[in-house]
Amino acid sequence: MKEKIAKTNVARLLDKAKIAYELISYEVDENDLSAVHVAASLGENIEQVFKTLVLHGDKSGYFVCVIPGEHEVDLKMAAKVSGNKKCDLIPMKELLPLTGYIRGGCSPIGMKKHFPTYIHETCIAFPYIYISAGIRGLQIKIAADDLIKETKAEICSLFTE
């Protein structure tokens, strides 16, 4: 019998929007919160396990980038797509008060307020991708198109291959 996974706010928002998804739990390693660890725990391709990064631009203010887990966001590219001259990742201490999420459990869905969201273009190459369900130890398996629709995201390139 499968254990019942408690629904997160992210799951409730997807239910409300009538978007299909699957909640998948994994073992959390407090010493390794990387998406690479998550992908290994899930037995999934790292290119399908996306991480959510929150950035601050000099013109637009806060925005969100969702990229495959083993990559680093290219700050110049992120600034350009978001209409900024420059941008930086926000300091870790700002994450929880700004989004309502902690490191290792930040989801592009259901932040305290909606921020412009940019998802790396490779997401559409897969039938589904994984994003955080809003807490450590839980991922959401979702079709990229549904995620794009729910977050009102723009598809773009956020790093060079």
Side-chain angles (χ1 to χ4, degrees):
M1 180 157 143
K2 255 176 85 173
E3 63 175 298
K4 181 112 173 71
I5 300 172
K7 287 220 168 157
T8 62
N9 192 35
V10 175
R12 285 188 283 277
L13 288 166
L14 290 171
D15 287 345
K16 195 174 158 204
K18 298 187 174 14
I19 290 175
Y21 66 91
E22 204 178 319
L23 279 173
I24 314 237
S25 61
Y26 66 93
E27 205 56 47
V28 177
D29 177 352
E30 291 296 332
N31 299 316
D32 184 3
L33 296 172
S34 72
V36 174
H37 168 76
V38 173
S41 303
L42 297 172
E44 282 288 349
N45 174 356
I46 183 62
E47 294 295 323
Q48 280 176 268
V49 178
F50 282 64
K51 61 185 174 186
T52 304
L53 304 171
V54 182
L55 295 91
H56 187 268
D58 61 345
K59 290 185 168 46
S60 72
Y62 297 106
F63 64 99
V64 176
C65 289
V66 183
I67 63 170
E70 67 180 347
H71 294 279
E72 293 298 319
V73 68
D74 180 317
L75 294 174
K76 282 192 176 88
M77 291 171 92
K80 191 173 175 189
V81 299
S82 61
N84 291 286
K85 274 204 181 348
K86 61 180 209 269
C87 66
D88 281 300
L89 288 165
I90 64 166
M92 205 52 67
K93 65 181 189 305
E94 287 180 23
L95 189 63
L96 181 61
L98 185 69
T99 65
Y101 294 128
I102 58 169
R103 179 170 174 253
C106 187
S107 178
I109 298 169
M111 289 187 182
K112 285 183 175 179
K113 61 180 280 220
H114 178 79
F115 298 111
T117 303
Y118 304 90
I119 303 178
H120 188 67
E121 61 200 3
T122 55
C123 69
I124 52 180
F126 304 105
Y128 57 86
I129 61 171
Y130 290 88
I131 57 163
S132 174
I135 57 171
R136 290 177 184 166
L138 202 56
Q139 290 280 302
I140 283 201
K141 181 178 176 181
I142 187 171
D145 288 345
D146 289 335
L147 177 62
I148 293 160
K149 192 168 66 185
E150 180 62 18
T151 57
K152 300 176 183 63
E154 198 176 302
I155 297 296
C156 56
S157 184
L158 292 165
F159 56 83
T160 42
E161 297 293 327

